Amino acid sequence: MWWDERVSARFRRNLQPTLTYWSVFFSFGLCIAFLGPTLLDLRCQTQSSLSQITWVFFSQQFCLLLGSCLGGVFKRTLAQSLFALFASSLAISLVFAIIPLCHNVVVLAVVMAVAGLAMGCIDTISNMQLVKIYQKDSAVFLQALHFFVGFGALLSPLIADPFLSDTNCILSNSTANTSSNLPHIRKSLVPHHPGNLSHYDLPMKGMVVTRVSYAFWIMALINLPVPIAVFFLLYKERMVPCFNSSSHPLLSADELAMETRPTEKDDLSTAAQRAQAAGGHDDLFSCCQSKNFRGASYTYFAVHITGALVLFMTDGIVGEYSGFVYSYAVEEPLSVVHKVAGYLPSLFWAFITLGRLISIPISYRMKPATMVFINVVGVLITFLLLLIFSYSVVFLFVGTASLGLFLSSTFPSMLAYTEDILQYRGCATTVLVTGAGIGEMVLQLLVGSIIHDRGSYSFLVCGMIFGGLAFTFYAFLLFFHRMYPKPSADLDDASPDKPAITDDTGQYQR
């Protein structure tokens, strides 16, 4: 194997939980990308206007952010984390099954809000649990985790595509006038910005002929093995109520004896210290309690804030670029034909997925800090070249692919780097996931408003500014890393700056 035997052995010992967390993140990806292409058919199903249906985007994104904040609540025990993942992944399958039954836009928004809460919990808990298991070796496993997001995000539009309406899915007297514009309308729909499509008169009343229900039922079935896998892990760990008579760790007795035996390099791995190390990740509200601030240096807060700001910018770029690159391409000066421009968002997500796959072996050989530096510099240079060659359609496609590659590994690398700075004792996972979620929602709304007022060229200018800010915040993070207190035995136990005595055995902690 391309990694060393120690990491390989740790992976084999934690194979089942690792695969389970990866599969749950596939559910996350499956749920995050289906809404865009199916939104017009859902508009027909609910017989709502374009402006009304785009609120469904907001309900999902807002509750995803709320779920990310609340996800850390379930981290206190492994049982709570797994039950939350089981409920969340099962909720996603139920959401897919229920969506075809929603014939009112408000009901649909509520159902998508439930999906958003489930996705937020999955995002926080899966990242947090992998960091707990692998700690300083977590970078490669986080890269693999986020590959499954991209894989799910690529798969769901492919499933939906055969069932999307080629003509207006509400039959009325005005249907013929708008049918030829449906592909353009579908690719131009983004959260809260249907204003540039207001001149299209889509019928709201008539016979609904959409077949998109089949796509949702197929996705519900594809996702169903995920909650089953989480339930099997709960059963294996004897956490299902009817099987909780005895504790049964994933490691056998012989392996457990070998793993907990003190070594020359790890003579401090006592049970109490491992418990202390496991307590370093809280939900966002627990992180904000004053008791967690006692004895903390300013660099402790600075690392959390600058790390979250980097992801605020980079994940915000992902949201705004995938949302508006089509609209930018079809406007002057490029004036790309609608069918060709429609490949740009797919190309962007395809290279994000490819980049995450490539980053799995690279992250084992390269430090997370180096990968994040390459990513933010690459994003900045790509936007600069896109501005210089703004009249080139060919370079727009090249730049879209390049941007997807550079953005692909930013989140997992940033998470691994920040957690390593804090010695797995801070609230980095929850704060970074929340920061990324806020950025993806806020920057998309901001860029949409700017494009509406200033024109399509501002799309690239905004990306350049966000890329420059991401680089600046990362430079500050490097500075605060140098200032952050090094591990010291005489630090006060109550201080958040006290380094965790990590369990380097790879044991799956309960």
Side-chain angles (χ1 to χ4, degrees):
M1 189 173 285
W2 41 266
W3 54 31
D4 62 37
E5 183 58 31
R6 180 182 61 82
V7 179
S8 178
R10 171 175 285 197
F11 176 60
R12 289 194 299 269
R13 287 191 296 270
N14 298 287
L15 180 62
Q16 184 179 1
T18 302
L19 293 178
T20 301
Y21 297 138
W22 287 351
S23 69
V24 172
F25 239 53
F26 169 78
S27 290
F28 181 93
L30 198 67
C31 201
I32 203 171
F34 79 87
L35 194 55
T38 62
L39 204 63
L40 270 187
D41 289 80
L42 292 175
R43 185 200 73 85
C44 295
Q45 178 181 297
T46 57
Q47 298 192 0
S48 55
S49 66
L50 289 175
S51 58
Q52 288 173 334
I53 196 65
T54 53
W55 278 98
V56 177
F57 271 118
F58 179 78
S59 66
Q60 183 195 44
Q61 287 292 324
F62 178 77
C63 288
L64 193 159
L65 175 61
L66 185 61
S68 299
C69 299
L70 296 174
V73 172
F74 303 104
K75 70 93 200 177
R76 290 178 174 82
T77 66
L78 180 61
Q80 289 180 3
S81 296
L82 291 180
F83 273 115
L85 289 181
F86 173 73
S88 298
S89 56
L90 183 60
I92 287 177
S93 278
L94 293 175
V95 163
F96 282 135
I98 292 173
I99 284 176
L101 307 178
C102 299
H103 298 287
N104 182 282
V105 70
V106 176
V107 176
L108 180 61
V110 171
V111 170
M112 291 309 302
V114 173
L117 286 172
M119 293 161 64
C121 289
I122 287 172
D123 196 6
T124 299
I125 294 172
S126 296
N127 280 291
M128 194 176 291
Q129 289 298 324
L130 276 184
V131 169
K132 277 186 178 182
I133 293 174
Y134 294 102
Q135 296 203 354
K136 67 180 181 181
D137 298 314
S138 62
V140 62
F141 300 99
L142 289 172
Q143 297 288 352
L145 181 74
H146 286 264
F147 162 75
F148 281 93
V149 178
F151 179 62
L154 271 181
L155 187 61
S156 57
L158 294 177
I159 295 172
D161 187 68
F163 303 99
L164 299 179
S165 300
D166 295 325
T167 59
N168 199 300
C169 44
I170 295 182
L171 299 181
S172 71
N173 294 333
S174 60
T175 299
N177 298 327
T178 55
S179 295
S180 61
N181 294 311
L182 281 183
H184 172 59
I185 298 173
R186 179 174 284 117
K187 294 182 176 68
S188 299
L189 273 173
V190 289
H192 297 316
H193 291 285
N196 58 335
L197 303 172
S198 58
H199 55 284
Y200 292 110
D201 184 23
L202 293 178
M204 294 179 60
K205 300 295 181 181
M207 181 184 298
V208 178
V209 293
T210 178
R211 299 181 301 130
V212 78
S213 300
Y214 297 108
F216 292 118
W217 288 329
I218 290 172
M219 285 187 275
L221 289 174
I222 289 176
N223 186 69
L224 197 56
V226 176
I228 294 174
V230 180
F231 180 83
F232 184 70
L233 183 58
L234 281 164
Y235 171 79
K236 194 78 172 179
E237 281 289 284
R238 296 292 189 267
M239 294 175 181
V240 181
C242 53
F243 298 107
N244 62 355
S245 57
S246 63
S247 177
H248 181 71
L250 288 179
L251 295 179
S252 67
D254 292 338
E255 287 177 313
L256 189 59
M258 291 179 63
E259 290 303 316
T260 55
R261 185 179 301 149
T263 63
E264 294 178 2
K265 295 181 179 180
D266 190 25
D267 57 345
L268 295 177
S269 297
T270 64
Q273 289 165 330
R274 284 198 296 270
Q276 180 187 21
H281 302 84
D282 289 300
D283 61 277
L284 191 65
F285 305 107
S286 298
C287 289
C288 296
Q289 293 178 4
S290 59
K291 67 179 182 180
N292 292 326
F293 300 155
R294 290 196 298 267
S297 64
Y298 75 94
T299 53
Y300 173 80
F301 303 102
V303 168
H304 282 88
I305 293 171
T306 51
L309 286 173
V310 172
L311 290 184
F312 178 92
M313 294 299 165
T314 54
D315 267 49
I317 290 173
V318 172
E320 62 95 6
Y321 196 88
S322 61
F324 294 103
V325 65
Y326 172 86
S327 300
Y328 167 74
V330 298
E331 298 288 338
E332 294 181 353
L334 294 175
S335 300
V336 181
V337 295
H338 299 324
K339 186 174 182 179
V340 175
Y343 292 116
L344 283 166
S346 300
L347 179 70
F348 181 66
W349 281 108
F351 271 83
I352 284 181
T353 306
L354 177 63
R356 286 170 175 170
L357 182 62
I358 295 172
S359 298
I360 294 173
I362 291 177
S363 62
Y364 182 70
R365 300 296 180 184
M366 188 179 294
K367 293 181 178 180
T370 306
M371 292 188 69
V372 177
F373 177 79
I374 293 173
N375 289 337
V376 294
V377 170
V379 168
L380 194 58
I381 293 175
T382 299
F383 270 116
L384 179 62
L385 293 175
L386 282 170
L387 282 169
I388 294 173
F389 299 103
S390 59
Y391 289 87
S392 171
V393 175
V394 173
F395 194 80
L396 177 61
F397 278 82
V398 174
T400 298
S402 172
L403 202 61
L405 282 175
F406 285 120
L407 288 168
S408 61
S409 60
T410 305
F411 186 97
S413 300
M414 193 68 197
L415 180 57
Y417 176 46
T418 309
E419 285 282 13
D420 190 54
I421 294 174
L422 298 169
Q423 291 99 42
Y424 312 95
R425 288 289 299 163
C427 301
T429 299
T430 305
V431 172
L432 265 61
V433 169
T434 304
I438 295 174
E440 190 169 353
M441 184 172 65
V442 170
L443 294 192
Q444 200 171 59
L445 296 174
L446 176 63
V447 171
S449 300
I450 293 174
I451 290 176
H452 186 266
D453 295 336
R454 301 292 181 180
S456 61
Y457 189 76
S458 58
F459 165 72
L460 294 180
V461 176
C462 289
M464 182 73 184
I465 293 172
F466 298 150
L469 289 173
F471 179 81
T472 302
F473 291 134
Y474 183 65
F476 278 113
L477 178 61
L478 293 175
F479 171 76
F480 291 125
H481 181 195
R482 293 179 63 89
M483 300 292 293
Y484 192 76
K486 298 295 186 296
S488 175
D490 57 355
L491 283 175
D492 181 43
D493 286 346
S495 172
D497 287 334
K498 180 177 175 60
I501 308 297
T502 60
D503 179 15
D504 197 33
T505 64
Q507 182 181 342
Y508 188 50
Q509 299 290 334
R510 291 173 65 89

